[in-house]
């Protein structure tokens, strides 16, 4: 993450893609240093993203500032969602139509699972694991 490239982070318009990239970066940081604190994770990610946004051509100062604020907000949300053992899981954010989510929630309840447990099982099977 500390390299000049910004650790593989990219500038995205899509909040879901951004959240998934942040989760992957959090996972890499935790694997590299299992004792890294959440405040260190936040600082490293924001510092890396600053380099990415600074190098992005065509952004006005206001656009750069807006991207940084959004990134910081998503980092805070993802850290809150990722308070689990280092390197254990990556939380994937996937946009779903409301009807699809309601159906998944119903199926999960019928099988005695939470919606996220059912979705994780479905995605794990789809990935061949």
């Amino acid at each position: 993450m500390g390299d000049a490239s910004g650790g593989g982070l990219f500038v995205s318009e899509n909040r879901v893609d951004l959240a998934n990239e942040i989760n992957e970066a959090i996972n890499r940081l935790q694997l590299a240093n299992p004792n890294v604190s959440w405040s260190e994770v936040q600082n490293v990610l924001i510092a890396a993203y600053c380099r990415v946004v600074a190098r992005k051509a065509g952004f006005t100062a206001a656009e750069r500032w807006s991207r940084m604020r959004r990134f910081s907000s998503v980092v805070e949300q993802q850290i809150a969602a990722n308070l689990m053992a280092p390197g254990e899981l990556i939380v994937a954010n996937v946009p779903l139509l409301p009807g699809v989510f309601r159906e998944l929630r119903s199926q999960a309840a019928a099988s005695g699972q939470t919606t996220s447990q059912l979705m994780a099982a479905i995605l794990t099977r789809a990935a061949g694991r």
Side-chain angles (χ1 to χ4, degrees):
M1 302 290 346
D3 66 7
S5 71
L9 294 170
F10 66 93
V11 177
S12 173
E13 291 285 329
N14 186 313
R15 191 173 180 91
V16 172
D17 288 340
L18 185 61
N20 287 329
E21 283 296 315
I22 288 169
N23 283 330
E24 172 62 20
I26 288 170
N27 188 263
R28 287 193 325 254
L29 285 169
Q30 288 178 322
L31 288 173
N33 183 358
N35 296 320
V36 66
S37 73
W38 287 110
S39 62
E40 290 172 321
V41 167
Q42 185 173 6
N43 290 339
V44 167
L45 291 177
I46 290 171
Y49 198 69
C50 279
R51 287 189 288 277
V52 172
V53 172
R55 288 183 172 87
K56 186 72 176 167
F59 281 179
T60 66
E63 288 170 322
R64 292 179 200 285
W65 179 237
S66 175
R67 298 295 176 111
M68 288 305 305
R69 283 195 323 258
R70 184 174 61 177
F71 183 83
S72 179
S73 171
V74 175
V75 167
E76 289 174 13
Q77 290 171 353
Q78 295 313 113
I79 286 174
N82 280 294
L83 292 174
M84 56 189 72
E88 200 170 277
L89 297 172
I90 295 174
V91 177
N93 294 281
V94 180
L96 298 172
L97 294 170
V100 172
F101 180 77
R102 284 190 293 273
E103 179 59 30
L104 285 170
R105 185 175 53 206
S106 175
Q107 289 177 16
S111 66
Q113 299 178 345
T114 66
T115 307
S116 61
Q117 288 170 330
L118 176 63
M119 291 180 1
I122 291 168
L123 293 171
T124 299
R125 281 193 305 272
R129 307 258 174 173

